[in-house]
Amino acid sequence: MESANLRAVERAIEHIEAHLGGKLDLDEVARAAGYSKFHLHRLFGEVTGMTVHDYVSRRRLTEAACALARSERPIVDIAREAGYDSQQTFSAAFTALYKVPPARFRARGSFYPLQLPFSLRASALRAGRGADDWTVERATPSDVAAWMDLLRLAVDNFPCLDEGQHEAWLRRAIDSGCALVAREPGSASLAGAAAFTRERGSIDFLAVHPQHRRAPGVARALVDAVRAAAPGRDLTITTYRAGDRADTGHRRRLEEIGFEEAEEAEEFGYPVQRFVLRGGAYREEDREGGDV
């Protein structure tokens, strides 16, 4: 993707973020981007992995969740600000993504984001590389800030996220040598990151920058590195259940790498499904590798 096109998507996102609490029209977003609605729709999907409508909806529901948890404003006012004509339609949309009705979410008193604002990178313009084109290495304490930046961009894959708890967990994973990063060439930014538990063969965290999701190269490189560190083991990971409207394509991307569906479960009270990558799925060159 050319830098001019990337800048157009950035202008669209800037317009959306400036008008989240008011009327948002695709024609206006397209004018702000400097493209036709059709062209913007295609570009936006290529860069972010979702439609303009889905991005707006997820951002507005995230802001609504924040208002529910951190204010006493009437739910009907929050619904109206989120672009819904009635509290009933707002409640249905909110429940589909957050898995509890707005009133119950408010009663819990804790907020987690469904979608944070996208921040795009010119360094990520080339997103079609294969797994062999990425260098994966162990994360170090100096990677924590970049890891947390990536986490915020990939937050759509981590329901119930608590940033403070995650950072503390990350530092332990780094200390144990079980945190991996894939860097963008010539940049300190991360294209992806993963953390795993060697003894269980579990991938506990797998994040890919939205601009690198269309091709499976980054995710595959990270998973290959985990397999090399836990040779012969089945690898497990959890993601959204089938049909979950909060899923922006994570199940499909795991299947593209070779993961298979396993049992359903719950994590932090959220319904998830476990996926498995069989140890026998190793390629011959993987068998010859050692630890990362």
Side-chain angles (χ1 to χ4, degrees):
M1 174 168 291
E2 297 178 358
S3 59
N5 292 339
L6 186 72
R7 179 58 189 149
V9 176
E10 288 179 326
R11 288 195 297 268
I13 291 172
E14 289 167 1
H15 182 84
I16 290 168
E17 293 298 328
H19 296 83
L20 273 181
K23 182 180 178 182
L24 259 175
D25 180 281
L26 183 56
D27 287 313
E28 294 176 1
V29 177
R31 279 195 294 272
Y35 282 104
S36 68
K37 289 190 294 185
F38 174 80
H39 198 42
L40 176 63
H41 179 80
R42 180 179 64 80
L43 288 177
F44 201 93
E46 286 181 2
V47 173
T48 69
M50 64 184 72
T51 65
V52 174
H53 177 271
D54 285 344
Y55 178 80
V56 170
S57 176
R58 292 171 65 86
R59 284 291 297 121
R60 282 178 159 172
L61 288 172
T62 294
E63 295 302 311
C66 185
L68 287 167
R70 297 175 179 174
S71 80
E72 297 299 324
R73 294 174 54 202
I75 293 178
V76 66
D77 290 350
I78 295 173
R80 192 174 297 115
E81 188 172 278
Y84 293 88
D85 294 331
S86 71
Q87 185 171 329
Q88 182 177 8
T89 55
F90 167 70
S91 180
F94 188 91
T95 303
L97 270 66
Y98 273 93
K99 303 301 176 284
V100 293
R104 194 184 306 171
F105 187 89
R106 165 169 278 173
R108 288 180 175 179
S110 60
F111 162 70
Y112 68 86
L114 193 75
Q115 183 72 55
L116 294 173
F118 274 128
S119 176
L120 306 179
R121 299 173 182 163
S123 61
L125 285 175
R126 289 182 57 206
R129 300 179 179 91
D132 294 337
D133 297 322
W134 292 96
T135 299
V136 176
E137 57 194 31
R138 287 182 179 175
T140 69
S142 64
D143 292 315
V144 170
W147 183 298
M148 297 302 292
D149 286 343
L150 173 66
L151 173 66
R152 296 179 189 105
L153 289 170
V155 73
D156 55 300
N157 194 29
F158 303 103
C160 307
L161 175 73
D162 182 301
E163 281 197 21
Q165 291 180 3
H166 181 86
E167 183 172 339
W169 170 85
L170 167 60
R171 292 184 182 278
R172 293 193 296 271
I174 290 174
D175 288 344
S176 64
C178 293
L180 308 172
V181 294
R183 303 185 193 282
E184 292 176 359
S187 170
S189 299
L190 301 184
F196 61 98
T197 302
R198 186 177 286 104
E199 295 75 18
R200 294 199 307 265
S202 64
I203 299 177
D204 307 313
F205 178 87
L206 178 63
V208 175
H209 190 287
Q211 287 172 259
H212 292 293
R213 289 178 179 174
R214 294 195 72 213
V218 175
R220 191 182 300 277
L222 288 163
V223 170
D224 283 350
V226 175
R227 293 196 303 180
R233 288 187 177 274
D234 290 351
L235 297 183
T236 64
I237 191 171
T238 57
T239 189
Y240 294 100
R241 293 184 186 179
D244 192 331
R245 287 176 57 187
D247 182 17
T248 58
H250 298 286
R251 284 176 58 94
R252 172 180 52 79
R253 287 188 284 271
L254 289 175
E255 290 169 345
E256 289 173 351
I257 294 173
F259 281 88
E260 303 171 356
E261 292 183 4
E263 73 277 7
E264 294 182 345
E266 283 196 3
E267 289 184 347
F268 307 105
Y270 194 97
V272 298
Q273 183 161 20
R274 198 173 308 281
F275 272 59
V276 178
L277 183 66
R278 303 297 176 187
Y282 265 67
R283 300 176 305 195
E284 286 305 314
E285 57 265 37
D286 293 327
R287 294 181 187 278
E288 298 172 2
D291 285 354
V292 175

